[in-house]
Amino acid sequence: MPRLAGRRTAVLAVLALAAAAGCSDSGSSSGGGSSANTPGVTDTEVTVGTHMPLTGPAAAGYSKIAPATKAYFDYVNAAGGVHGRKISYKIMDDTYNPATTQQVVRELVLQDRVFAILNGLGTPTHTGVLDFLKTNQVPDLFVASGSRNWNQPDKYPGTFGFNPDYTIEGKILATYVKDNHAGQKVCFLGQDDDFGRDSLAGVKAVLGSVAAEQTYVTSNPNVAPQMGAFKQAGCQVVVLATVPGFTALSIGTAAKIGFKPSFVVSNVGADYDTLAEQLGDAAPLLEGVVAANYLPLNNDDANPWIQLFKKVNTQYNGNAEFDNNIVYGMSVGYLFVQALQAAGQDLTRQGLIDAVEKGGFSGPGLVPLRYSADDHSGYSGEQLTKVEGSTAAYFGKPYRTDDGDGPVTEYTEAPPAPPANGIPPQ
């Protein structure tokens, strides 16, 4: 089970000590030496940490991600771990509040002395800890957000994304709109941060402009003004760059005011099971919603990755209701295990970063990962989904593109099947 952030008094004391010491433990964290003096690493264990919205406005769905990652680690640990080390995963609740994120990440690094931060979630939350993690030379892997901030290898050499970045996603969603809703008024609602701005940039790169654009803040769960403005503007298609709670709010609010556009939704806010739970009796409003994903869907029981993750979920995650958030969390876990394996027996922080930059990882993703010394972004594209008959299913082929003016092109290679034992080969 995840450990909630509950050591506020202790962490304040740690912060005071850190301030006096210059807020850096870089003398023992660079990884230039050996695992013997690397924080979070012993002969038998490697400890990593994360910040997640276990409670708060983004908790719907997202609170299931880190426990799923931990479940996959427990599965690997039961088979002996990685290079003889078990993976310990410390999960801290930041409530999707940037100030709390800074507090819990400092606790993880300065008090718990984790080896790395893994899959910290959120654009506004994680942006605030980039400089701290850089100063303390802590690997910052596979951030749970599609912000382009994570792909700055010169500025943040230890930070790597995981999700396709939001501009890539915006281009792919807008290509669908251009091909299927030509001549219709397209409007855009996005989170008031890089999530929304980067998504809108991708949409405009393909469509040129939108008829109306609005933003929301997660502290205000009322999108009636935005939906009302779209209705008045005569919007026929609404693109949403929203977290799940605000996707549900937008679709539900639109229905209440008699506004019935076609909704096209960012992957991060489109998990069908999460939205259906949020909408309750109004779940039929999701029929026809188009979104995108880059991992196998939770309802594809014939997919060998889904078979593996369901097995792990049953054995190590309390048989939690299986949705795409669990698929996501276990996919992150699988990738991190590959990175640890590639970093070698003599595990150091720099060795881990070098291993990720070398790339060559494969897994359940429908498109390739893009890691290299010059590219710290994650997956390179997505495939479109549509809700039909209360089920989200893929259609068409996966697409790849870039966050510039490159074309949106189909990707035709199928992902490999998982190893027979479900663990990357060492």
Side-chain angles (χ1 to χ4, degrees):
M1 294 295 291
R3 184 186 67 179
L4 301 182
R7 293 182 287 174
R8 299 291 183 256
T9 302
V11 75
L12 291 175
V14 171
L15 294 180
L17 290 172
C23 253
S24 174
D25 68 346
S26 59
S28 62
S29 64
S30 68
S34 70
S35 57
N37 62 2
T38 298
V41 178
T42 70
D43 289 342
T44 59
E45 187 174 72
V46 54
T47 301
V48 295
T50 194
H51 63 89
M52 282 277 164
L54 304 178
T55 60
Y62 291 171
S63 61
K64 301 175 74 171
I65 291 172
T69 305
K70 182 181 183 300
Y72 183 75
F73 290 159
D74 290 343
Y75 176 76
V76 173
N77 290 343
V82 180
H83 297 304
R85 295 186 179 97
K86 304 293 180 67
I87 305 170
S88 175
Y89 197 30
K90 293 182 176 290
I91 304 166
M92 302 292 278
D93 183 13
D94 66 1
T95 73
Y96 207 64
N97 181 321
T100 306
T101 305
Q102 293 188 41
Q103 186 177 27
V104 299
V105 168
R106 286 173 179 270
E107 180 179 351
L108 286 166
V109 171
L110 299 175
Q111 181 171 313
D112 295 323
R113 292 180 61 78
V114 297
F115 171 61
I117 295 295
L118 174 65
N119 202 224
L121 188 145
T123 299
T125 48
H126 198 77
T127 299
V129 298
L130 287 176
D131 288 325
F132 172 78
L133 294 174
K134 176 184 177 181
T135 297
N136 286 273
Q137 300 179 340
V138 180
D140 179 22
L141 300 191
F142 315 145
V143 183
S145 155
S147 171
R148 289 182 289 178
N149 283 338
W150 326 138
N151 185 23
Q152 300 185 76
D154 291 336
K155 186 175 182 181
Y156 297 111
T159 295
F160 297 82
F162 182 82
N163 306 23
D165 80 47
Y166 296 131
T167 300
I168 285 175
E169 179 178 63
K171 289 173 67 175
I172 291 171
L173 295 178
T175 297
Y176 166 80
V177 171
K178 183 178 181 180
D179 292 344
N180 293 273
H181 296 277
Q184 296 188 0
K185 281 191 174 182
V186 181
C187 299
F188 179 90
L189 173 67
Q191 192 160 292
D192 190 19
D193 56 26
D194 287 344
F195 173 20
R197 288 186 288 272
D198 287 356
S199 296
L200 181 58
V203 170
K204 287 184 173 180
V206 172
L207 299 182
S209 64
V210 294
E213 56 188 77
Q214 293 282 327
T215 62
Y216 74 91
V217 294
T218 57
S219 58
N220 180 13
N222 177 18
V223 294
Q226 294 93 323
M227 291 299 111
F230 288 160
K231 182 180 180 182
Q232 186 172 0
C235 302
Q236 296 162 289
V237 180
V238 173
V239 179
L240 297 177
T242 46
V243 297
F246 281 81
T247 302
L249 279 170
S250 298
I251 293 173
T253 300
K256 287 180 181 178
I257 64 173
F259 176 43
K260 299 179 180 180
S262 298
F263 282 100
V264 178
V265 186
S266 167
N267 163 256
V268 301
D271 176 64
Y272 176 82
D273 293 325
T274 301
L275 297 177
E277 183 177 349
Q278 292 275 294
L279 286 168
D281 292 341
L285 294 173
L286 296 171
E287 199 72 11
V289 167
V290 170
N293 205 328
Y294 49 98
L295 299 170
L297 296 179
N298 66 304
N299 55 23
D300 184 3
D301 289 337
N303 186 289
W305 290 97
I306 297 302
Q307 293 169 5
L308 167 64
F309 293 157
K310 282 192 170 182
K311 173 184 173 182
V312 175
N313 188 59
T314 299
Q315 293 179 347
Y316 295 97
N317 199 32
N319 202 28
E321 184 178 358
F322 191 80
D323 63 15
N324 288 314
N325 297 291
I326 289 177
V327 175
Y328 177 96
M330 292 192 185
S331 299
V332 169
Y334 187 90
L335 178 60
F336 185 67
V337 167
Q338 289 185 87
L340 284 182
Q341 291 173 343
Q345 175 69 42
D346 191 12
L347 185 59
T348 66
R349 284 172 163 174
Q350 187 59 49
L352 181 65
I353 291 168
D354 292 344
V356 179
E357 285 190 335
K358 187 176 180 180
F361 303 122
S362 63
L366 306 182
V367 294
L369 291 155
R370 303 194 301 180
Y371 302 129
S372 71
D374 300 321
D375 192 336
H376 284 198
S377 61
Y379 279 102
S380 56
E382 293 178 315
Q383 185 171 352
L384 296 166
T385 67
K386 188 173 185 178
V387 177
E388 293 181 325
S390 301
T391 300
Y394 280 123
F395 65 94
K397 295 287 187 181
Y399 290 98
R400 288 197 298 176
T401 187
D402 58 22
D403 57 10
D405 57 3
V408 177
T409 59
E410 286 189 355
Y411 181 75
T412 57
E413 295 184 27
N421 67 353
I423 300 172
Q426 294 195 40

